[in-house]
Amino acid sequence: MEERIEELEVKIKELLDDKKYHQIRELLIDLNEADIAEIIETIEIKEDVVRVFRLLPKDSAADVFSYIPVEYEQMIIESLTMREIGQIMNDLYSDDAVDMLEEMPANVVKKVLAATDKETRRDINNLLKYPEDSAGSIMTVEFVDLRAYMSVMDAIERIRKTGVDKETINICYVTDVQKHLLGIVTLREIILADAKESIKDLMNENIITVHTLDDQEEVAKQFQKYDFAAMPVVDNENRLVGIITVDDVMDILEEEATEDIEMMAAITPTDQPYMKTSVFETYRKRIPWLLLLMISASITGKIIQGFEAALSTCVILTAFIPMLMDTGGNCGSQASVSVIRALSLDEVEFKELPQIIWKEMQVSILVGATLSLANFGKILLIDRTSILVAFVVCMTLFVTVVVAKLVGCTLPILASKIGFDPAVMASPFITTIVDALSLIVYFNVAGIFLGL
């Protein structure tokens, strides 16, 4: 499929050069909307982007629009008439419209809202009021609602009349006149039931819901737990105000995973694709953390300076400093990443910190003993130092591994408890702390056993 898309990209660019627009339209008609959006992204000339978009059938233009990057959306919006903008916005699902407007400049947003009809504008404005990254900000208001007193035949008729504009009709929501959520019923249950049977008898009253102000990451966890395709969103009075569908959750999971990866690598999170981010923007996201880590790493330099006299007495000790620091950092990173993942999946809580520490303590003893024994043999056979020096290095290595594991498992949980993102306490910070601790342990052990 990817090869076919690449061939179409080349073909469409050739047809654009030859101004054979009818052939372009014929090529696009049978393509999936996501594939059309991918092709549009490869077109570099603004006029050609707008021209190709205008060639799309009206019933698929809004779907294609929801897939293209925001800069292309803005490019198209600025080139369309008010009538054309209104057509697109009225056909877009409300959550997709809100996602687009949140990224647009104020003047473009004003133009778009002016082109939409009153009902669409009201829905968009209501969704824009919810906090960013909340359930309310990602929900859609296009859902099928039924009444408990309806018969199956009445419900099917309502689905036929209203379902064409809804994001999903697979799950229908039963509400009263005040929009209070009473139950849910699937399309499968409706179709298989007797035509005269009541919706009240079919609906499931044991409903899992999320609140409009719930964090989007918590919403994603609920989807993972219950394997839902859609989930109702309610307000403080249990009134149904929208639904969240699984396609939105997929975007949330990607966004949250990307954010955690960037935080763990000491990069300020960004929502822009790598190739779309400018050099200066990339620099701006990275440099604050690098400066902070560079300054904090100078602590290890001060520690080494404090033991300069001891090192001059036994120079061979200097050769093992990188190994001790790297091993400690690696051990700390392993523990922190495991705990951060467990926290993100709600597998552990703060109250379980003692059990986590005990588990990591046992692991660190086994790991530390294995590494120390292997290193002891390597120092004697390859480095050919004295047994006492080998003992000092391996004793330090053992203690460093234990300390690193404890620091690595503790800091993310403490960070989560006080409200910070646990991912902040990943590799860079753990490594810096463990480096300093390993040097302190190293020189003190050397002082005790080597009399430095």
Side-chain angles (χ1 to χ4, degrees):
M1 188 63 187
E2 287 299 324
E3 291 179 0
R4 180 168 176 255
I5 296 299
E6 291 176 3
E7 291 174 0
L8 286 172
E9 290 171 2
V10 175
K11 181 67 174 176
I12 287 174
K13 288 177 181 178
E14 292 175 353
L15 293 173
L16 280 170
D17 292 337
D18 297 335
K19 295 182 171 50
K20 296 180 178 180
Y21 305 127
H22 178 73
Q23 293 184 35
I24 295 175
R25 180 182 174 85
E26 291 299 316
L27 287 173
L28 296 177
I29 283 177
D30 296 328
L31 282 179
N32 181 275
E33 288 82 0
D35 292 330
I36 297 174
E38 185 178 335
I39 290 172
I40 289 177
E41 283 185 60
T42 66
I43 302 174
E44 299 176 355
I45 301 173
K46 177 180 178 180
E47 290 75 14
D48 287 342
V49 170
V50 178
R51 199 169 283 122
V52 170
F53 185 80
R54 278 186 163 139
L55 291 172
L56 298 174
K58 290 183 179 180
D59 58 350
S60 64
D63 291 331
V64 173
F65 190 82
S66 67
Y67 281 109
I68 60 179
V70 66
E71 61 267 24
Y72 280 81
E73 290 178 335
Q74 183 176 341
M75 187 188 305
I76 291 170
I77 287 290
E78 291 173 343
S79 303
L80 297 182
T81 65
M82 295 295 281
R83 186 182 63 82
E84 289 172 323
I85 295 172
Q87 181 66 44
I88 292 173
M89 296 305 298
N90 295 334
D91 289 343
L92 272 179
Y93 293 123
S94 54
D95 55 337
D96 293 328
V98 169
D99 288 342
M100 178 199 72
L101 293 177
E102 285 179 335
E103 303 294 331
M104 294 282 186
N107 62 316
V108 178
V109 172
K110 186 176 180 180
K111 179 181 179 180
V112 169
L113 291 178
T116 58
D117 60 40
K118 185 177 180 180
E119 183 179 351
T120 303
R121 186 161 57 249
R122 182 199 64 210
D123 291 340
I124 291 173
N125 285 329
N126 286 338
L127 293 179
L128 287 171
K129 293 177 183 177
Y130 291 107
E132 186 179 2
D133 297 337
S134 67
S137 70
I138 59 173
M139 71 183 182
T140 181
V141 296
E142 288 94 359
F143 55 86
V144 176
D145 58 333
L146 305 174
R147 297 288 184 264
Y149 59 79
M150 286 182 173
S151 67
V152 166
M153 184 180 297
D154 293 334
I156 291 176
E157 186 62 27
R158 177 170 175 78
I159 293 170
R160 284 174 177 163
K161 287 182 178 179
T162 64
V164 66
D165 296 323
K166 308 305 181 184
E167 186 149 350
T168 179
I169 62 171
N170 295 330
I171 301 174
C172 303
Y173 301 90
V174 185
T175 61
D176 60 17
V177 178
Q178 288 78 35
K179 294 291 185 181
H180 294 116
L181 184 59
L182 305 178
I184 60 172
V185 58
T186 66
L187 184 61
R188 173 188 173 89
E189 291 169 328
I190 293 174
I191 292 175
L192 295 179
D194 186 89
K196 295 181 180 180
E197 193 168 356
S198 171
I199 292 297
K200 182 178 180 180
D201 296 330
L202 292 179
M203 70 181 188
N204 180 4
E205 299 180 52
N206 182 23
I207 318 165
I208 307 297
T209 63
V210 293
H211 190 271
T212 52
L213 300 180
D214 287 348
D215 185 83
Q216 64 176 17
E217 191 170 4
E218 294 302 316
V219 173
K221 291 176 182 177
Q222 294 299 307
F223 270 83
Q224 288 179 305
K225 179 178 180 179
Y226 296 105
D227 290 331
F228 285 157
M231 185 174 288
V233 183
V234 298
D235 61 12
N236 291 329
E237 298 178 13
N238 197 43
R239 290 179 301 195
L240 181 63
V241 292
I243 64 171
I244 297 174
T245 50
V246 70
D247 59 315
D248 297 313
V249 173
M250 294 295 289
D251 293 336
I252 293 169
L253 292 173
E254 179 183 350
E255 179 184 327
E256 295 293 341
T258 301
E259 180 179 312
D260 286 345
I261 290 170
E262 290 178 328
M263 293 289 285
M264 291 169 71
I267 301 174
T268 303
T270 177
D271 55 2
Q272 291 292 325
Y274 175 77
M275 294 304 294
K276 304 280 184 174
T277 308
S278 67
V279 172
F280 181 77
E281 184 68 14
T282 303
Y283 156 82
R284 193 173 67 83
K285 296 291 185 181
R286 297 179 183 180
I287 195 62
W289 295 95
L290 293 175
L291 286 171
L292 177 61
L293 291 171
M294 181 185 70
I295 293 171
S296 62
S298 63
I299 296 173
T300 59
K302 287 292 183 182
I303 295 173
I304 293 174
Q305 286 181 359
F307 291 92
E308 191 173 353
L311 287 173
S312 62
T313 305
C314 189
V315 180
I316 190 63
L317 293 177
T318 309
F320 302 106
I321 290 177
M323 180 273 297
L324 291 171
M325 294 171 63
D326 288 348
T327 303
N330 292 336
C331 291
S333 296
Q334 285 183 337
S336 66
V337 168
S338 298
V339 171
I340 290 169
R341 178 186 179 278
L343 285 169
S344 67
L345 298 177
D346 286 335
E347 294 176 349
V348 297
E349 300 177 5
F350 179 78
K351 64 182 180 180
E352 296 174 301
L353 182 57
Q355 295 99 300
I356 295 170
I357 291 176
W358 173 237
K359 178 178 180 178
E360 289 296 333
M361 174 71 77
Q362 296 176 79
V363 173
S364 66
I365 290 173
L366 293 173
V367 171
T370 302
L371 293 176
S372 297
L373 287 172
N375 199 42
F376 189 82
K378 176 256 182 187
I379 292 174
L380 291 179
L381 298 175
I382 299 176
D383 298 323
R384 297 186 179 279
T385 63
S386 66
I387 293 179
L388 193 54
V389 168
F391 174 79
V392 167
V393 173
C394 294
M395 174 62 72
T396 303
L397 180 61
F398 179 82
V399 176
T400 297
V401 169
V402 173
V403 171
K405 293 286 187 186
L406 296 182
V407 170
C409 74
T410 304
L411 287 185
I413 294 179
L414 295 178
S416 177
K417 180 64 177 178
I418 62 178
F420 287 110
D421 190 331
V424 174
M425 296 299 174
S427 299
F429 281 108
I430 297 292
T431 300
T432 301
I433 294 170
V434 171
D435 285 351
L437 293 175
S438 63
L439 288 174
I440 293 172
V441 171
Y442 188 32
F443 293 126
N444 279 283
V445 171
I448 293 172
F449 289 97
L450 298 178
L452 302 179

